[in-house]
Amino acid sequence: MDRVSQDTPPPTEPPALPPYAERVLDVAELIPPGRVMTYGDIAEWLEEGGPRQVGRVMALYGSAVPWWRVVRSDGALLPGHERRALAHYRAEGTPLREARRTSGSPGSAPRLDMRRARWDGDTGDTPHS
């Protein structure tokens, strides 16, 4: 008999989502199509954590929400996910800036136009806190 199967516990329910992660994902779901918030914006909106903590939540659990709407503050597309994110941005009409081309370098991916795409979290409802 295989030793690993003897020592491996039976499958169980997935671990509960940590409360902070749940709050981050709730904010990500609020971001309207065509708009974005930075990791830092979400931390500030929640009045808890920081950009790195939000980034960690998105890396671990973000696939269940519109992850492409949570971005870096410089507007650069998420490394390794540029093509998928760009398809979402174009479908949603998210404002983009064309990539700058320097002499001799191949074209690179566009960036988000953060001045036009950034969402302040105003839902028109009562305060978020």
Side-chain angles (χ1 to χ4, degrees):
M1 193 174 225
D2 184 9
R3 184 172 174 86
V4 174
S5 64
Q6 291 175 349
D7 296 335
T8 305
T12 60
E13 291 290 318
L17 193 62
Y20 182 72
E22 195 167 325
R23 290 191 297 277
V24 167
L25 298 178
D26 287 347
V27 175
E29 288 181 326
L30 291 174
I31 304 169
R35 304 298 296 273
V36 299
M37 287 182 92
T38 68
Y39 300 107
D41 291 340
I42 290 179
E44 185 177 320
W45 199 84
L46 291 171
E47 298 176 346
E48 183 180 359
R52 288 177 187 252
Q53 289 83 2
V54 172
R56 180 76 176 149
V57 168
M58 293 304 296
L60 293 173
Y61 310 108
S63 64
V65 298
W67 54 266
W68 58 93
R69 297 181 193 153
V70 182
V71 301
R72 293 172 34 164
S73 63
D74 65 0
L77 305 186
L78 183 62
H81 301 280
E82 297 92 346
R83 290 176 56 171
R84 287 179 46 217
L86 194 54
H88 286 292
Y89 298 140
R90 288 187 171 142
E92 293 182 356
T94 307
L96 298 168
R97 291 186 353 224
E98 287 306 313
R100 292 184 191 154
R101 294 178 188 233
T102 57
S103 61
S105 69
S108 58
R111 289 180 179 254
L112 293 158
D113 183 338
M114 293 302 290
R115 276 189 319 186
R116 294 177 34 223
R118 200 171 203 165
W119 185 58
D120 65 4
D122 183 14
T123 61
D125 295 337
T126 56
H128 55 81
S129 4

